Amino acid sequence: MDTTALPIAGRPGRNGNGVAARSRRASGQLERSQRSALAALCAVASYLDSDEDMPTLVGRLGGTVADLTGAQRAAFWRLGPRGTLTLQPTPFGFARESAIHGTRLHVGAHGDGVLDSIVFREDLEIVKGTSPALDAVWHGAGIGDVKSSIAAAWRAGDRRIGAVAVYDAEHGFSPHDLWLLRLVGLAAGLVWQYKELEDDRGRTAVRLEQATAARRQLLNNIAAGGDQARRRFASALHDDSLQLLTGAELQLERLRSEADGSLPGLQLDGLASTLHRVEDSLRRLLTDVSPEPLQLPSDLREAISERLESMRIRAGIEPHNDSRLPNDIPGAIQSIVMKNVAEALNNVEKHARATKVMVAAEVVDGGVRVAIADDGTGFVAAESARIPGHIGLVAMRERAQLIGGECRIRSSEEGTVVEVRVPLT
């Protein structure tokens, strides 16, 4: 029996050696591809935390791409709105006098251009370590010193950002290099998109800050105009109406003294009582509209107590005071809070037809929170600015907003709650 073609026992035959060799080569190539892919992704990801602008970033990334693919030169090309590729600044490995710096490449409309086909539709073919079709593009653009080249799409998902190209590898480019370049193009696209979103967020933050500053300025102007109007009104009220009323009370006092207990004298007593009530009402109005800080009796807790007691005596509304405020609240903050409390209680007294009212005050989250709740008939809070007699609600919101606080109003048929929050500083 002829045994020359049979393997010797215990030793692999010729076919077995070939399979093992191919398996080792495939395993080595896979390991090389994995190492290259990991190196590429790590290199691109390292630019995420960079403060550089994108043109500078992709300029430096070009050196990394060249190193990964064994190229001597590399460049990123940006796709413009008219389908033209323009070179990003500082391409890697190109001299300043190279013709590449002034090159513009037309991709082609509707996918009919050479660049669109070989780059974005991934029809690039490698022949003897290069892409002849791509080399022809560079030579046609006046970059005649290109010996070999490959390129891949620079994209983020379906969005075309541009292309990344490498040039002149010492031993030519392989399909592995093209695969790696496409991976870099995808990763760089995600970094570009991330940087764009970061820049947009920064610009949005600046615009928001500008809008907030403009809003503050507008509120300041409104408040200044409101204070001027209130100051003129308070001055006219004090110097004109109250003075005339005082003069009328003096004349009435003389008439009462001459009446000497007669029937007209009793009528004059009733008139005098009416005039006193009118004067009290006007003086309360003067306090409410005055833009100057309130002179608090002692502290905010005592001022709230006195205002509630005055309302009980005058209107018969049962008060409940739950003020748990410290003594060291700044005077300016106390004044603003008390103005809003007084305004809210005035509205309860004049409009709510309430039988009970509660004021709760406390320091929470670095500020003062005051809630004024009544059991009155309520109103439509959203329309409060247009309801006659409720202009003070607008002023309450304005005061709170001007110092960084807020004033919220909730109202229903069961009653109304006014909540004021202002910072302590």
Side-chain angles (χ1 to χ4, degrees), residues 287 293-310 321 327 331 334-335 337-339 341-342:
T287 300
L294 289 176
Q295 297 299 316
L296 299 179
S298 171
D299 58 29
L300 189 54
R301 290 175 301 181
E302 185 178 345
I304 293 174
S305 296
E306 289 190 6
R307 181 64 184 84
L308 287 170
E309 180 62 17
S310 174
N321 186 6
N327 297 324
Q334 292 192 48
S335 176
V337 170
M338 191 58 210
K339 273 182 172 286
V341 170

Side-chain angles (χ1 to χ4, degrees), residues 262-313:
S262 61
L263 181 60
L266 296 176
Q267 294 173 338
L268 291 176
D269 288 342
L271 180 58
S273 176
T274 300
L275 287 179
H276 282 306
R277 288 198 299 272
V278 171
E279 183 178 5
D280 287 342
S281 178
L282 288 178
R283 292 195 181 280
R284 286 199 305 274
L285 178 61
L286 179 62
T287 300
D288 292 339
V289 301
S290 174
E292 306 305 328
L294 289 176
Q295 297 299 316
L296 299 179
S298 171
D299 58 29
L300 189 54
R301 290 175 301 181
E302 185 178 345
I304 293 174
S305 296
E306 289 190 6
R307 181 64 184 84
L308 287 170
E309 180 62 17
S310 174
M311 185 179 67
R312 185 189 67 79
I313 295 173

Side-chain angles (χ1 to χ4, degrees), residues 164-278:
V164 53
V166 288
Y167 310 82
D168 303 331
E170 183 177 356
H171 302 292
F173 295 104
S174 68
H176 169 78
D177 295 324
L178 179 59
W179 170 81
L180 191 62
L181 195 63
R182 286 170 178 165
L183 180 64
V184 169
L186 289 171
L190 294 176
V191 172
W192 180 280
Q193 192 172 48
Y194 171 80
K195 290 289 186 180
E196 277 189 334
L197 292 173
E198 198 174 52
D199 291 343
D200 288 344
R201 184 180 64 180
R203 287 190 292 269
T204 301
V206 170
R207 288 196 295 268
L208 181 60
E209 186 175 345
Q210 291 172 343
T212 301
R215 177 176 173 275
R216 281 201 198 99
Q217 184 62 43
L218 178 62
L219 284 172
N220 284 331
N221 291 341
I222 292 173
D227 281 350
Q228 291 175 3
R230 287 192 290 269
R231 189 174 288 108
R232 288 194 298 269
F233 180 75
S235 177
L237 186 61
H238 181 272
D239 298 338
D240 187 9
S241 301
L242 284 172
Q243 296 298 330
L244 290 173
L245 185 59
T246 302
E249 288 177 335
L250 292 174
Q251 293 178 16
L252 180 61
E253 190 63 31
R254 285 196 296 269
L255 291 174
R256 289 173 63 198
S257 63
E258 294 172 358
D260 193 23
S262 61
L263 181 60
L266 296 176
Q267 294 173 338
L268 291 176
D269 288 342
L271 180 58
S273 176
T274 300
L275 287 179
H276 282 306
R277 288 198 299 272
V278 171

Side-chain angles (χ1 to χ4, degrees), residues 91-103:
F92 176 78
F94 285 92
R96 291 185 178 180
E97 60 274 12
S98 173
I100 195 173
H101 294 287
T103 301

